[in-house]
Amino acid sequence: MDKILIFGHRNPDSDSICSSIVYNNLKRAQGMDTEAVALGEVNDETRYALNYFGLDAPRVIDGVKEGQPVILVDHNERQQSAPGIEKAKIKEVIDHHKVANFETSSPLYFRAEPLGCTSTIMKKIYDEQEVDINKKMAGMMLSAIISDSLLFKSPTCTLQDKLAAEELAAIAGVNLEEYGIAMLKAGANTKDKSIKELIGLDAKEFDINNKKLVIAQINTVDTKEVTERVEELEKTISTDIKERNLDAFVFVITNILTSNSEVLVMGEDKDKVAKAFSKTLINNFMTLEGVVSRKKQIVPPITEEFNK
């Protein structure tokens, strides 16, 4: 029997990687033949967490074969999953996003909760099944919650996320605030990355009412480090739009210190994206004050506008 692969979405963020590792640890402790893998290289933020807690990054795969048993974490939409996912055997899904274009040929365990982070659900599962959480697994879950909630600044963050993080920080033996800031800053470095790397670090593809969009997001402590490279940004994004036949590319540059985002929008439907926020693009840019969450503050208004 094939080993069950556990993975998050493409262009993985900390929650995708950490949830895969944590769930794999649980499944293996229960005697299952599983492996945590990734659909892309880990980013700087995730690497900081892995190094801090002495764990290796999962191996990267470029697709799954027909009949491959898999468990999806932190996603459920096919276009965000592994190439070949439509022919794989999906055994479980653990997620905190909306459910879209999802269908299987056989029953499965599907758990989706409206929380700020998949790893918060993972902690609940550990507790429900009375499995001890060791320091490394606590560190992974804590790191994911910090990342997805921007240290509790994101509107997606719930009381359950905060309480879980506090408990996990105690188990991991870290100061929650100090560790969180250090980890977020490690992932906010943009100077030594190419534009192609920046727009692909955390990019998700969405199909909305027969329109194909990519919404990418990066965190920084100085948005000017990115926006001043506008010519290269527009050239690279234009190429991506043509190659992938996109109707719009939305690039969100979030300042983790001010909780504001500068957004570059390109493509034939760029003005429709701006209209979703009652904004007018100026040189393809708009400013969204107090906007930090793609899942709760960006995707919903765009979806609503494109479904009109």
Side-chain angles (χ1 to χ4, degrees), residues 34-71:
T34 61
E35 180 188 4
V37 294
L39 304 185
E41 298 294 338
V42 300
N43 60 34
D44 290 344
E45 177 191 274
T46 310
R47 193 171 300 282
Y48 177 91
L50 291 169
N51 290 341
Y52 190 98
F53 290 101
L55 291 164
D56 294 326
R59 71 181 177 93
V60 176
I61 63 171
D62 56 11
V64 293
K65 63 183 181 181
E66 184 172 356
Q68 172 70 56
V70 301
I71 295 174

Side-chain angles (χ1 to χ4, degrees), residues 148-181:
D148 266 16
S149 71
L150 279 181
L151 201 53
F152 316 130
K153 290 182 180 179
S154 172
T156 61
C157 185
T158 69
L159 179 59
Q160 290 187 55
D161 297 298
K162 292 179 181 179
L163 293 176
E166 290 171 357
E167 193 174 332
L168 291 165
I171 298 172
V174 299
N175 179 287
L176 178 53
E177 187 78 13
E178 291 178 1
Y179 174 76
I181 291 173

Side-chain angles (χ1 to χ4, degrees), residues 89-103:
K89 184 177 182 180
I90 302 174
K91 300 183 71 67
E92 298 184 36
V93 176
I94 314 293
D95 195 13
H96 70 130
H97 296 95
K98 68 182 178 72
V99 180
N101 62 40
F102 188 84
E103 183 179 340

